[in-house]
Each structure stands twice: as C-alpha cells, then as structure tokens.
Amino acid sequence: MKMHFLVLVCVMASGAAAAQSMEGMHHDHAAMQQQQQNLPVTSEPLVYPMQAVQEPEALELRTGENLPAPELLKDVANKPAMTLAQWLDLAESHQPSLMEARATVKRSEQQARQVALPPDPVVGYSGEHIRGGNYHGGEQGAFLSQEIVLGRKLALRRDVVRAEGRANEHAVEVQRARVHNDVAQRFFDALSAQVFVTIHERMLKRAEDAQVNAHELMRVGQADAADVLKAEIQAEQAKMDFVDAQRMFLASFGRLAATAGVPAMSAQPLDGRLAEPPQMDVQDVMRKGVEDSPAVKQAAASVAIAEAQVKSAKRESVPDMKITAGEWYSGERLDGTNKAAGWMGFAQAGVQLPLWNRNQGNVGAAKAELSRAQAAVVRTQMWTRERAEPIAQQYEQARFSAERYRTQMLPRARRAYELEVMKYQQMGQAYPKVLESQALLYELQLGYVKALHEEWSAAIALENFTLDGALEKPVSIGADDLMRNLPSSAGN
C-alpha cells in the first residue's frame, strides 16, 4: 500500500505539470479506476520504483535508462533580455563592414583634397660654360620654375572625386541596410528558437507525463509492456527535441552576435514582439523600395560621376603652362675691358601644343562609361524589383498562414483540449486522449511560431530593400589608389 500511494502521488504530480487545470484529477481518476475495477492490492513491494518497471513479469530486464535531458540554457535565463533596437545599436558601433564603408567616404574626401593641389614649384641651380673657353667662368645662377595648370582641370578632377564621395555615402546606406536586414533576421531567428525551447520544454513535460501514465495504466492492467516502451521512446524523443531546440537557440544567438560585430558575447534572452509582425501593403513597399533603395541611389550617383568624368576628360586637352625665371652671373668679359658682364636675368615660358593627343580616347571612354552608368540605374531598379517579388509572395503567404493559425486552428485546438480535460474530469475520457489533444495543441503552436518567423523574415527583407550580406565587403566607388597627384608627379 505504501508503494502504491507513492506511485499515485507521483502520477498526480506529473499530471499537474502537464496541465495546470488538471491538478489532482489524475490521482482521483486513477484511484477511482482502481476502486471500480476492485483490483487486488499486493502487499509485496516492487523491487524497482514504478517508473523503472517496463515488464512486471521480468523485473530484472531493463532496456535503457531514464536519463534527464541536459538543460543548456539554465544560466541564460538569469541574464537581462535584449531588444532588437539594442542589437541594431551594437551593430552601428561594432560592425566592421559599416566602419569600412564610412572609411571610403573619408578616403574620397581626402582624395578630392589631394587632386586639387597645384604642382609644387621647382628651384634649382643652372650653369653653362663654367669651365674653359673665353667665357672665364661661364654663366651660373639660380632659377625658379612653376607649372601652371590651366583650364580649371584641377577643379574638374576634384569634382570627379567629390562625386565618388557622394556615391560612397550611398554605399554606406547600402551597407547599413545590409547590416540591419541581417541583424534583424538573425534576431528573429534566435527569438523564434527561444520560443521553440519553451514549447519543446512543455512537450517534454507532456511526454514524461504520458510515460508516467503508461506505467500507471500497465499497473492497473489497461496497458502492456509494449505501451510502456512506446511511451518511454516518445519521452526520449522529446528529450532530444528539447536539447536540439536549445542548441538551435545557441547557434542562432551566436550568428546574431557575429552579425552585430560582437562575436564574443555570451547567450542572453531576447525580448521581442514575435506575435506582432508589421502589417504592410507589399505593393506600396515594393514601389517605394525601387524608388528609395540606396542601391538605386548609388547607381544614380555613378551617373553623376561619369558626367563629371566626361567634363574633366574634355578639359584635359587644355595644355598647362610652364614658367621658368632666374638670374645668372656671367663671367664673360665685356668688350675691351677686363670687367665681367655680371648678374643678368632670364625667363622662359611655354605650353605643349595639343596637335596629336587631345585626350580624344579618354573622352570617348568617359562617354561610354556614362552610357554604362545610365544603363546600370535601370538594371539596379529591375534587380531590386526582381528580388522583392518572391519575398512579397512569401510575406503574403506567411501572413495568411499565421492568421489561420491564430484565428482558426489554435482556438479549435485549445477548445478541443478543454473539452478533453472536462470529459476526463467527469471520468468520461481516458487520460491518453487528454495528452493527445495537448500534443496537437503544442504542434500547432510550433507551426504558428514558424509562420510568424517567416512573416517577420519577409517583412524585414522588404523594409531593407532586400539587401543582405552584412559581413560581405562593402561596395566602394572610386579607385583605392593612394598615389594620386604625388608631389613629384607634376599635377597628374
């Protein structure tokens, strides 16, 4: 009797864990079943605890152990939860690809500064007929030479690089959309995994409760050893699913941390509104996505670059002027005297005649680049639209599925579960039926979470212009050449 009492207490406790509203009823029901069937009560205690008995006729036979499922997230629950806004702030300050993109803007600013600098003057020594002849020391002195860049070529070269800088500012927005898209996607991946852990934990408790129930039914003669083994297998499967859900959360969190630029961060709970995805008119979002996409704006900025390059290339045919002036001391003797000619000045000025090379090839290439850039704008618009179309359909389907789960399937499943519980309390239903309806409810909750996750995923992608690749190299406009207009290159 003492052992039976302990078993009934155990069953009652497990039933309470599986369904809050069912506290105590399993105990009552089992007791009433035993009473109704007037089963004999053995005075001999079992060798093993009730939950360890698989086959009463072969107590020495055990096929496996009832090992607990590892709780990998025990310490995670005690940490503060983080929101999506906090993760986006982390990404703004820690994501290296954003730092790279911002650096290209600064690079363009400095390149524009450099290309507009005029050539440095040249100062030097000059001498002729220094030794021998009748010049008695020849001529020697100092000179100053300066190349003057004409035709506003320096300003036009600077305009090209400034246009590249404006394109790189759009490249920063492109990279920011990529980062926000990927961080938000990873956030809801991890948030969904976190909810899966909660549901699988409930499913594990339900499976363990079914396992206890199978043992109890076998004890009262309403189940056999095969039923007990099946229930234990289902409990083991539920343990594996629970552990798998925990590892999925850890993996998702690790990806989220790496995408945000903080890969060393340990796992923390997430705080988000999974059940409240954004409601949007996808056609309006797609239209605005084509118009406002930073990728399209960047392509349009490339047209401005090409236009500036055409102007600059045309002006490059204007020759520069080179002026040299100095003063020599001439040792030549004046006629009939022994007096040196002394100091005298000199000056030179000249330009290169653009007879054969008027930069016509570069002008033609710049015009071709302009045509390419104009076509690239249209291509980028089409590329954005093409990527958005399937995502828009995915969003509509996910919203439809989530709505059906929320308004049609889950309410029915909850009501069916309530009815099964009610019938069980009135002793009109077997306890396994209650567990079956509870399992169906949990399965539908998993499907609902998956639908919500897909709805969020599509909405996030559309809001970020379908741009992704937070950890890819950001787009950089303009040459990485750091040797432009060197002091020794004479203005080129």
Side-chain angles (χ1 to χ4, degrees):
M1 283 295 293
K2 183 178 180 180
M3 185 67 196
H4 289 172
F5 175 74
L6 293 175
V7 170
L8 290 175
V9 169
C10 180
V11 172
M12 181 182 69
S14 59
Q20 296 178 356
S21 62
M22 297 167 56
E23 183 175 0
M25 63 185 177
H26 192 198
H27 171 271
D28 298 338
H29 187 67
M32 293 183 70
Q33 281 185 328
Q34 180 176 343
Q35 186 175 15
Q36 288 174 352
Q37 295 175 11
N38 193 23
L39 294 174
V41 178
T42 177
S43 58
E44 297 180 1
L46 295 175
V47 177
Y48 302 108
M50 193 62 198
Q51 296 309 310
V53 175
Q54 293 174 330
E55 300 180 45
E57 64 278 7
L59 294 178
E60 72 284 357
L61 182 61
R62 284 291 307 169
T63 53
E65 301 293 334
N66 186 21
L67 300 176
E71 295 187 15
L72 307 178
L73 306 180
K74 184 183 298 182
D75 298 332
V76 175
N78 299 324
K79 297 179 180 178
M82 294 184 65
T83 65
L84 176 59
Q86 291 175 309
W87 281 104
L88 292 178
D89 290 342
L90 277 177
E92 282 288 336
S93 57
H94 290 81
Q95 174 52 250
S97 66
L98 275 175
M99 299 177 190
E100 288 183 68
R102 296 189 190 106
T104 59
V105 176
K106 294 182 179 178
R107 184 200 66 194
S108 296
E109 292 174 355
Q110 295 305 313
Q111 287 178 330
R113 175 189 179 190
Q114 181 64 28
V115 298
L117 298 176
D120 292 325
V122 178
V123 61
Y125 164 82
S126 177
E128 292 183 0
H129 312 296
I130 299 174
R131 294 177 61 87
N134 299 322
Y135 289 94
H136 302 285
E139 299 167 341
Q140 54 185 328
F143 71 90
L144 180 66
S145 179
Q146 175 67 56
E147 183 180 359
I148 301 175
V149 182
L150 302 177
R152 296 187 65 251
K153 292 197 292 292
L154 293 178
L156 291 174
R157 292 171 191 169
R158 181 183 58 199
D159 290 346
V160 172
V161 183
R162 283 179 173 175
E164 292 175 352
R166 287 190 286 273
N168 280 325
E169 291 174 358
H170 292 298
V172 173
E173 296 305 315
V174 169
Q175 195 60 28
R176 178 173 286 110
R178 285 176 162 183
V179 170
H180 283 205
N181 186 14
D182 284 4
V183 169
Q185 297 280 359
R186 305 289 181 268
F187 177 85
F188 280 98
D189 288 348
L191 184 61
S192 300
Q194 180 177 282
V195 178
F196 282 155
V197 171
T198 302
I199 297 176
H200 278 290
E201 187 177 19
R202 294 173 183 169
M203 296 177 75
L204 171 58
K205 292 179 180 177
R206 188 210 65 81
E208 290 175 337
D209 189 49
Q211 180 182 350
V212 172
N213 180 257
H215 280 277
E216 175 62 15
L217 291 178
M218 181 182 69
R219 192 187 66 79
V220 298
Q222 294 185 4
D224 56 19
D227 296 327
V228 170
L229 291 171
K230 291 177 184 176
E232 290 180 349
I233 292 171
Q234 292 174 350
E236 288 298 321
Q237 182 63 54
K239 292 175 185 175
M240 288 193 295
D241 292 342
F242 174 56
V243 175
D244 182 60
Q246 294 179 84
R247 296 201 180 281
M248 286 297 296
F249 170 76
L250 292 174
S252 300
F253 188 92
R255 293 190 70 195
L256 170 61
T259 305
V262 286
M265 177 178 286
S266 58
Q268 293 184 231
L270 301 177
D271 182 12
R273 298 177 300 172
L274 183 64
E276 300 176 20
Q279 302 300 309
M280 58 176 60
D281 182 345
V282 292
Q283 294 302 322
D284 184 56
V285 171
M286 289 172 61
R287 180 183 58 77
K288 292 181 178 177
V290 173
E291 295 174 356
D292 301 336
S293 171
V296 175
K297 292 180 178 178
Q298 185 185 37
S302 295
V303 174
I305 296 174
E307 291 173 344
Q309 288 173 334
V310 170
K311 290 181 181 178
S312 179
K314 289 180 177 177
R315 196 62 64 85
E316 288 295 332
S317 61
V318 176
D320 297 335
M321 176 179 288
K322 189 171 183 179
I323 299 175
T324 302
E327 193 169 8
W328 280 352
Y329 179 84
S330 176
E332 184 180 2
R333 297 294 184 264
L334 296 176
D335 293 339
T337 67
N338 193 28
K339 186 176 181 181
W343 291 98
M344 60 182 64
F346 68 93
Q348 295 178 348
V351 297
Q352 190 175 32
L353 296 178
L355 296 180
W356 326 118
N357 182 357
R358 297 185 298 279
N359 204 35
Q360 54 267 41
N362 287 330
V363 172
K367 291 180 178 177
E369 177 62 19
L370 176 59
S371 299
R372 188 206 63 77
Q374 291 170 338
V377 175
V378 180
R379 177 181 57 79
T380 306
Q381 291 174 337
M382 297 172 65
W383 176 83
T384 303
R385 182 81 185 189
E386 188 269 341
R387 284 175 61 92
E389 284 289 353
I391 297 175
Q393 295 304 319
Q394 176 189 342
Y395 171 79
E396 293 286 13
Q397 178 59 36
R399 184 166 68 173
F400 171 78
S401 299
E403 181 68 16
R404 288 303 174 97
Y405 272 113
R406 181 169 49 249
T407 62
Q408 303 297 323
M409 301 173 72
L410 283 173
R412 286 183 169 93
R414 291 194 190 94
R415 183 55 182 163
Y417 173 64
E418 292 171 357
L419 291 174
E420 295 289 1
V421 171
M422 190 182 303
K423 286 191 289 185
Y424 176 77
Q425 291 173 333
Q426 297 171 354
M427 293 185 295
Q429 184 62 281
Y431 188 56
K433 288 290 185 182
V434 177
L435 295 176
E436 289 178 7
S437 63
Q438 193 179 36
L440 175 62
L441 177 60
Y442 290 153
E443 290 293 338
L444 291 176
Q445 287 178 344
L446 287 176
Y448 179 47
V449 173
K450 290 179 181 176
L452 288 172
H453 173 259
E454 291 178 1
E455 187 175 353
W456 267 106
S457 177
I460 291 168
L462 291 173
E463 287 179 344
N464 290 284
F465 314 103
T466 73
L467 297 170
D468 56 11
L471 297 178
E472 294 181 4
K473 182 181 178 181
V475 177
S476 174
I477 305 299
D480 296 334
D481 182 16
L482 303 181
M483 308 295 284
R484 293 185 177 187
N485 193 21
L486 294 175
S488 59
S489 63
N492 294 315

